[in-house]
Amino acid sequence: MVAASRLDETHDTGGAERVFLALRSRVVSGELKAGDRLPPERELALKFNVSRPILREALRSLAMLGFLEIIQGSGAYVRQPDIALVSDFLTFCMAQQPDVLDDIIQSRIAIECQAIRLACEKASEADLNRIAASLTSLLDTLDDPVLGGQADYEFHSGIVRASHSPALSTLYRALTPLLMQSHVSRRRIVPSGIRNFLVDAHKEVFLSIVDRKPDEAENRLREHFAIGDEYRRKSLIAAFSKSSPDRQT
Amino acid sequence: MVAASRLDETHDTGGAERVFLALRSRVVSGELKAGDRLPPERELALKFNVSRPILREALRSLAMLGFLEIIQGSGAYVRQPDIALVSDFLTFCMAQQPDVLDDIIQSRIAIECQAIRLACEKASEADLNRIAASLTSLLDTLDDPVLGGQADYEFHSGIVRASHSPALSTLYRALTPLLMQSHVSRRRIVPSGIRNFLVDAHKEVFLSIVDRKPDEAENRLREHFAIGDEYRRKSLIAAFSKSSPDRQT
DNA sequence: AAGAACTATTGGTCTGACCAATCTGTCAGC
DNA sequence: GCTGACAGATTGGTCAGACCAATAGTTCTT
């Protein structure tokens, strides 16, 4: 047999994947920085000892992952991957599991409760102003579900931002699309009666940050979430007992 | 001009990306479930009206993202993406930002503090036994940095698992690699004197879960983290003032 | 009926060519 | 001398056909 000439490859997984891993490691290691331009495809293909279609499979994969931006006629440029891709992927991973939309709120509470503690320490004047502004828009958009939801989001994301924790902010951004889904369906079933109450809860949370009282802030925030949760359950029960006969498919 | 037959495409971004998006949307929408086999490449290429190399660029990209598993001679099969990929990507995204390793601990605290509250409600006998077991190994491996670190991780991840929140667990798993990095460097500078104290802290946290007291559990956990943080700072200051002259490059 | 050999299917790769967008350098015109 | 337009070179985008390698299904032998 002629099986005696494959020792030059670490672990052969196919040409495309080999090139993919090689280039990716160059990016994550910092050897290739954002903005750098890769050599032309024909040249790279020669260097990696693969054909151009195979080399392109690797490049395209990196591009889809956000590591590269390929511009026709110009070249392939290293790009800082966007957190939005993580978000997409996380969304999909979680969406595979049943009832995640009900569960995702736990992650939100986790992040915001820690963020608000840090915010009590680190929030700047600008942070507080931003949160105050979102509080104002919250008041002005009580009757608009869409704008109101946006103001609500800005209030909460303002808290996270005020924590000055990049990791918390990154996670929060990654969760945002999923939050939006559960958020929309939640807000839809909230009638006008409870809204003033929710506004007051937001105010109290904000004031606790202004007073720099972490424990109080977290407790009020937890209470805010708990009330929302309790209310959602009641609504679901009510909706279920009413429309139970209609429920089909 | 012959430009009058591209209205069937949403927005033409090139063949490969078009195919990629089409197939990906079929996966995320559930139209293609895990385990399903895709048609042969030649057939797919015909269906999407592209050449095989282009079709392969799309397939390879999906494979690199974990959506597909391609087996030579057999076919391309839809696969449930692994959260580890999110973790990798998250790691890279965060690693680009400076000082994330010091900041990632905030995300950990956030998740665990919420998880421990849920654990107080939902922890099963098996959960408690698992945590108790990790507590035992923590005692048995006080002198081994590696095994001790592993026991410590099992204790904390046991808490998260006991929360029975898939979202929190998913996030925690995503953070784990980054935690390991900061964890190792932290544990290395912890001398033996403080360890018994840390073990006691773990015990108290555990007992609070057993007693089903969320507030107490969270407070003790926060205290545990705070002490670790405080200690790390002291160590850094000490190390800095001692080795300051040596510090080079 | 079980195992082996064969064949069809399917992914993996290569070559070479052509098109399209971009970049660059030259040259005419101001 | 500077500017703008043109033309060629560079580079990515795509295609076609061919061949190899691994797998799966079939058939034949034992």
Side-chain angles (χ1 to χ4, degrees):
Chain A
M1 291 305 185
V2 254
S5 63
R6 275 288 184 275
L7 301 179
D8 44 356
E9 304 297 349
T10 51
H11 54 71
D12 114 319
T13 64
E17 190 164 352
R18 191 182 86 237
V19 176
F20 173 84
L21 292 175
L23 287 177
R24 195 188 61 169
S25 75
R26 283 196 200 174
V27 174
V28 300
S29 75
E31 184 180 342
L32 289 172
K33 288 178 287 284
D36 287 357
R37 195 186 112 175
L38 262 55
E41 291 183 353
R42 293 162 175 86
E43 196 175 319
L44 272 178
L46 208 63
K47 193 176 299 179
F48 282 108
N49 207 28
V50 293
S51 68
R52 203 159 70 104
I54 299 303
L55 188 271
R56 278 178 59 80
E57 286 182 22
L59 289 187
R60 176 76 64 187
S61 297
L62 289 166
M64 290 306 173
L65 273 162
F67 286 100
L68 286 183
E69 175 163 18
I70 303 178
I71 303 174
Q72 175 173 157
S74 179
Y77 300 85
V78 179
R79 194 173 62 168
Q80 163 99 8
D82 187 9
I83 192 64
L85 284 173
V86 182
S87 185
D88 283 352
F89 207 76
L90 204 62
T91 301
F92 176 65
C93 281
M94 289 194 169
Q96 295 299 101
Q97 302 167 357
D99 306 324
V100 223
L101 287 188
D102 286 339
D103 185 57
I104 197 78
I105 187 75
Q106 300 298 338
S107 302
R108 178 196 183 169
I109 297 174
I111 294 174
E112 285 195 34
C113 285
Q114 180 66 10
I116 206 170
R117 285 181 167 275
L118 293 175
C120 285
E121 296 177 23
K122 303 183 178 179
S124 66
E125 281 298 312
D127 292 323
L128 295 179
N129 288 336
R130 196 163 26 238
I131 299 175
S134 66
L135 210 45
T136 306
S137 11
L138 203 60
L139 276 170
D140 294 341
T141 59
L142 270 181
D143 298 323
D144 188 324
V146 177
L147 290 181
Q150 189 179 335
D152 185 76
Y153 170 71
E154 281 170 7
F155 176 82
H156 288 280
S157 70
I159 292 175
V160 177
R161 182 173 175 182
S163 74
H164 291 276
S165 164
L168 286 178
S169 297
T170 300
L171 280 187
Y172 197 76
R173 258 178 299 167
L175 291 182
T176 294
L178 277 170
L179 284 177
M180 288 303 182
Q181 290 186 45
S182 65
H183 209 65
V184 168
S185 57
R186 191 147 31 91
R187 180 158 281 265
R188 191 185 303 163
I189 57 177
V190 172
S192 55
I194 205 174
R195 289 188 186 165
N196 288 328
F197 190 70
L198 284 178
V199 170
D200 287 341
H202 281 93
K203 277 184 186 172
E204 288 184 352
V205 168
F206 173 65
L207 291 178
S208 293
I209 302 178
V210 174
D211 290 343
R212 311 279 178 182
K213 295 180 178 173
D215 292 331
E216 183 184 284
E218 183 185 351
N219 286 335
R220 283 180 169 174
L221 189 57
R222 283 196 183 281
E223 197 178 351
H224 167 44
F225 282 128
I227 288 174
D229 188 49
E230 184 187 356
Y231 183 76
R232 186 183 44 157
R233 292 187 190 195
K234 285 183 183 173
S235 300
L236 283 177
I237 292 172
F240 188 74
S241 53
K242 276 184 182 177
S243 66
S244 189
D246 303 62
R247 193 128 171 96
Q248 287 248 331
T249 307
Chain B
M1 296 296 195
V2 251
S5 63
R6 277 288 185 273
L7 301 179
D8 42 356
E9 305 298 349
T10 50
H11 53 72
D12 127 315
T13 64
E17 189 163 353
R18 191 183 85 236
V19 176
F20 173 84
L21 292 175
L23 288 177
R24 194 189 62 169
S25 76
R26 282 196 200 174
V27 174
V28 300
S29 74
E31 184 180 343
L32 289 172
K33 288 179 287 284
D36 288 356
R37 197 187 109 175
L38 263 56
E41 292 183 352
R42 294 162 175 87
E43 197 175 318
L44 272 179
L46 208 62
K47 192 176 298 180
F48 282 108
N49 207 28
V50 294
S51 68
R52 225 184 114 205
I54 298 303
L55 188 272
R56 279 180 57 80
E57 287 181 22
L59 289 188
R60 176 76 65 187
S61 298
L62 289 166
M64 290 304 169
L65 274 163
F67 287 99
L68 287 183
E69 174 164 18
I70 304 178
I71 302 174
Q72 176 173 141
S74 179
Y77 300 84
V78 179
R79 195 174 63 168
Q80 164 101 6
D82 187 11
I83 191 65
L85 282 174
V86 182
S87 185
D88 283 354
F89 207 76
L90 204 62
T91 301
F92 175 66
C93 279
M94 288 193 170
Q96 296 299 102
Q97 303 166 357
D99 305 324
V100 223
L101 286 189
D102 286 338
D103 185 56
I104 198 77
I105 187 73
Q106 300 299 339
S107 302
R108 177 195 183 170
I109 297 174
I111 294 174
E112 285 196 34
C113 284
Q114 180 66 10
I116 206 170
R117 285 181 167 275
L118 294 175
C120 286
E121 296 177 23
K122 303 184 177 179
S124 65
E125 280 297 313
D127 292 325
L128 295 179
N129 287 337
R130 196 163 26 238
I131 299 176
S134 65
L135 210 45
T136 305
S137 19
L138 203 59
L139 275 171
D140 294 341
T141 59
L142 270 181
D143 297 324
D144 189 322
V146 178
L147 290 181
Q150 189 180 334
D152 185 76
Y153 170 72
E154 280 170 10
F155 177 83
H156 288 281
S157 70
I159 293 175
V160 176
R161 182 173 174 182
S163 73
H164 291 276
S165 164
L168 286 179
S169 296
T170 300
L171 279 187
Y172 198 76
R173 259 179 299 168
L175 290 182
T176 294
L178 277 169
L179 284 178
M180 289 303 183
Q181 291 187 46
S182 65
H183 210 66
V184 169
S185 57
R186 190 148 32 90
R187 180 159 280 265
R188 191 184 302 163
I189 57 177
V190 173
S192 56
I194 205 174
R195 287 188 187 166
N196 288 328
F197 190 70
L198 284 177
V199 169
D200 287 342
H202 281 93
K203 278 185 186 173
E204 287 184 350
V205 168
F206 173 65
L207 291 179
S208 294
I209 302 178
V210 174
D211 290 343
R212 312 278 180 183
K213 294 180 179 175
D215 291 331
E216 184 184 282
E218 184 186 350
N219 285 335
R220 283 180 169 174
L221 189 58
R222 283 197 183 281
E223 197 179 349
H224 167 45
F225 283 127
I227 288 174
D229 188 49
E230 184 187 354
Y231 183 76
R232 186 183 45 157
R233 291 188 191 192
K234 285 182 182 173
S235 300
L236 283 177
I237 293 173
F240 188 74
S241 53
K242 275 185 183 176
S243 67
S244 189
D246 304 57
R247 193 129 172 95
Q248 285 248 333
T249 308

